[in-house]
Amino acid sequence: MEGEDAARRRRQQQQQGQAAAGEKEVGQVKEKKVKRKRGRVELRRIEDRTSRQVRFSKRRSGLFKKARELSVLCDAEVALVVFSPAGRLYEFASSNSSMEKIFGRYWDIPNTTAQETRVDRNIQIDLNEQSVPDSVSELNDIAQWALESNVNEMSMAELRCFEETVTDALTVIKNKLMMKVAGLPQKERSPLKKRKNRWSPESEE
Amino acid sequence: MEGEDAARRRRQQQQQGQAAAGEKEVGQVKEKKVKRKRGRVELRRIEDRTSRQVRFSKRRSGLFKKARELSVLCDAEVALVVFSPAGRLYEFASSNSSMEKIFGRYWDIPNTTAQETRVDRNIQIDLNEQSVPDSVSELNDIAQWALESNVNEMSMAELRCFEETVTDALTVIKNKLMMKVAGLPQKERSPLKKRKNRWSPESEE
DNA sequence: GTCTATGTATAAAA
DNA sequence: TTTTATACATAGAC
């Protein structure tokens, strides 16, 4: 988006050429009268606290308006969540209360493809490591915890992490299978990615 | 809010006066061609399919740009998910991979600042919560056994069976997640088929 | 995608 | 807050 200023400059240059080149200069000369107001928007954090707050309010309104317009005009599903630097929550979802629905959809899609992605990522690793026992061990921990806590009370995020962890474990298992099918030896040990157990209730962040 | 258009109109009128007034008349005569472009934005679904798609692309770009600007300029956390009517997914999260973080936060805040909406957050799901505990329980058994035996010596068939079992468990977990996300009650008992657990330590076949 | 006229958003000021 | 001037977004036409 080059913005209108650029277009205008172009236009003005033409005008200057054909009509009142000299007079148009006035616009530039008198810029002290028109005042140098805004400059281009810099894409960096606004340092002034007050200014930042004001801009946040305005831009937030604008953003939510745009989101609403997009969803209505174009019949799209839109979910928007904003936390102000002060921690306040603002949200928008195209249909009433469809925040969950939209994000369910969101998570479902990445999940289906995530497996392939992860497989790629882990294949080479697994070529020379004994990762299954590790993953199984982890699986055990997960299961243990899941049994002890009430799974039904897991928050969405916890459930999601739980799912991801099990998916990871499953991927390792699949890799192992592949290796076996391919007739490749699996011997030496090497560290599997050490993921903190985000599914754990007391897990730190 | 007169906008730049007004200023430009003014400028153009001057030009007409001093340079090409006659030529500009064409603009009025051919107004079907030059004038009456956009009208005000109507807040209703665009009926024309093509137009709707084009607008979707443009507005989506704009929206995401705004979202990015808000997050950077104002140091806010922003998560945005859009599904096009065609089902394509577009997403933005202020920090890398913070989509989950932001939504975890979103779901964890129901009472503090969040206003209405989250009424139905932790509802239902208790219709037949047995499915998860069961799958988790099974998961536990699997893990237990896998730990005790040497996974690396599993036969192909055993590995496959292992994989299948974990996959099933994962399916149940995903199911649970989706139900929760969609806010839907889980009606049927998860069809975790009862197969002979060849991998199970105590269930010999 | 590009262009241009126009509508909108918004930074700064009042 | 409201106003104003300006930057920016974008509809419609290529």
Side-chain angles (χ1 to χ4, degrees):
Chain A
M1 278 94 191
E2 74 171 346
E4 157 137 337
D5 47 336
R8 183 168 55 253
R9 268 194 296 277
R10 229 181 291 116
R11 234 176 290 127
Q12 288 186 341
Q13 290 184 346
Q14 291 186 332
Q15 294 161 18
Q16 290 175 28
Q18 54 187 235
E23 192 161 295
K24 270 298 171 188
E25 286 299 327
V26 175
Q28 296 175 5
V29 174
K30 285 185 181 176
E31 64 181 321
K32 41 84 183 297
K33 171 187 174 185
V34 203
K35 277 193 198 170
R36 249 338 7 196
K37 290 211 159 183
R38 282 153 60 191
R40 297 186 93 84
V41 173
E42 281 186 80
L43 264 55
R44 45 190 281 267
R45 185 191 142 106
I46 298 166
E47 289 308 326
D48 182 54
R49 243 181 59 90
T50 307
S51 177
R52 189 169 63 233
Q53 284 189 328
V54 174
R55 287 194 185 188
F56 176 75
S57 292
K58 291 180 173 178
R59 281 179 172 273
R60 175 175 49 75
S61 309
L63 182 63
F64 277 78
K65 184 181 179 186
K66 291 281 187 188
R68 183 163 34 252
E69 289 180 352
L70 182 66
S71 70
V72 174
L73 289 173
C74 306
D75 195 29
E77 283 192 279
V78 178
L80 174 61
V81 167
V82 173
F83 280 100
S84 75
R88 257 199 87 161
L89 167 66
Y90 303 87
E91 59 175 307
F92 169 78
S94 44
S95 324
N96 180 37
S97 179
S98 65
M99 187 69 78
E100 287 84 355
K101 236 164 263 177
I102 295 173
F103 274 85
R105 203 175 161 190
Y106 166 75
W107 272 325
D108 192 42
I109 290 180
N111 283 347
T112 357
T113 38
Q115 253 171 303
E116 281 83 43
T117 306
R118 247 186 279 276
V119 169
D120 289 339
R121 204 178 71 214
N122 287 337
I123 276 185
Q124 359 177 235
I125 299 176
D126 288 335
L127 280 178
N128 53 8
E129 79 175 318
Q130 196 178 29
S131 53
V132 169
D134 278 352
S135 69
V136 166
S137 175
E138 187 179 14
L139 229 174
N140 191 47
D141 293 338
I142 299 165
Q144 207 71 57
W145 169 76
L147 277 174
E148 291 165 3
S149 65
N150 187 337
V151 181
N152 286 302
E153 291 176 355
M154 276 200 241
S155 74
M156 205 81 77
E158 287 170 331
L159 250 185
R160 168 73 184 116
C161 288
F162 184 31
E163 179 210 39
E164 187 184 340
T165 305
V166 176
T167 300
D168 281 351
L170 180 58
T171 298
V172 174
I173 293 166
K174 285 186 175 179
N175 284 342
K176 183 122 203 139
L177 232 192
M178 278 195 286
M179 292 306 98
K180 199 136 192 166
V181 165
L184 297 178
Q186 318 148 52
K187 49 255 168 214
E188 37 181 311
R189 248 200 125 72
S190 85
L192 179 62
K193 60 173 176 166
K194 272 309 169 201
R195 177 208 327 76
K196 53 191 152 85
N197 295 326
R198 285 172 297 177
W199 43 265
S200 175
E202 58 274 36
S203 138
E204 76 310 317
E205 168 55 24
Chain B
M1 269 176 217
E2 86 170 339
E4 158 140 337
D5 46 329
R8 193 185 318 90
R9 265 196 298 275
R10 234 180 286 119
R11 232 176 288 126
Q12 289 187 342
Q13 290 184 346
Q14 290 186 333
Q15 295 160 23
Q16 289 174 31
Q18 50 189 237
E23 192 162 296
K24 271 298 173 185
E25 285 300 327
V26 176
Q28 294 176 6
V29 175
K30 290 185 180 175
E31 66 180 319
K32 73 299 191 66
K33 173 186 173 184
V34 187
K35 292 177 81 174
R36 254 333 29 172
K37 288 212 161 184
R38 280 153 63 191
R40 297 189 94 82
V41 174
E42 278 186 82
L43 264 54
R44 45 190 282 266
R45 183 192 142 106
I46 298 164
E47 290 306 328
D48 182 52
R49 243 180 59 89
T50 307
S51 177
R52 178 150 34 90
Q53 284 189 326
V54 174
R55 286 194 184 191
F56 176 75
S57 292
K58 291 181 174 179
R59 279 178 173 274
R60 174 176 49 75
S61 306
L63 182 63
F64 276 79
K65 185 182 178 185
K66 291 281 188 190
R68 184 165 30 254
E69 288 179 352
L70 182 67
S71 70
V72 174
L73 289 173
C74 307
D75 197 28
E77 283 193 279
V78 178
L80 174 60
V81 167
V82 173
F83 280 99
S84 74
R88 263 200 79 165
L89 166 66
Y90 302 87
E91 59 175 307
F92 169 78
S94 43
S95 326
N96 178 40
S97 171
S98 65
M99 185 69 77
E100 291 179 14
K101 207 172 293 176
I102 295 174
F103 274 84
R105 198 176 166 189
Y106 168 75
W107 275 310
D108 280 338
I109 291 200
N111 311 315
T112 10
T113 28
Q115 318 82 353
E116 63 303 323
T117 49
R118 212 64 315 101
V119 206
D120 54 323
R121 202 170 83 90
N122 278 325
I123 50 165
Q124 44 56 226
I125 65 174
D126 293 320
L127 292 183
N128 55 338
E129 60 286 342
Q130 291 90 348
S131 59
V132 168
D134 276 356
S135 70
V136 166
S137 176
E138 187 177 12
L139 230 177
N140 192 46
D141 291 340
I142 299 166
Q144 209 73 58
W145 168 77
L147 275 175
E148 291 167 1
S149 65
N150 187 336
V151 182
N152 286 303
E153 293 176 354
M154 276 200 241
S155 70
M156 204 92 77
E158 285 171 332
L159 257 182
R160 280 195 192 287
C161 188
F162 186 28
E163 176 201 8
E164 188 184 343
T165 305
V166 176
T167 300
D168 285 349
L170 182 57
T171 298
V172 174
I173 294 166
K174 282 189 175 183
N175 233 5
K176 181 127 204 136
L177 225 197
M178 292 308 293
M179 292 307 96
K180 191 150 190 167
V181 155
L184 299 175
Q186 304 173 56
K187 27 225 157 229
E188 46 180 309
R189 191 136 173 31
S190 174
L192 225 190
K193 56 187 173 204
K194 278 305 169 196
R195 75 172 120 13
K196 46 203 162 62
N197 298 322
R198 281 180 298 174
W199 42 263
S200 173
E202 57 269 289
S203 94
E204 300 298 19
E205 170 155 10

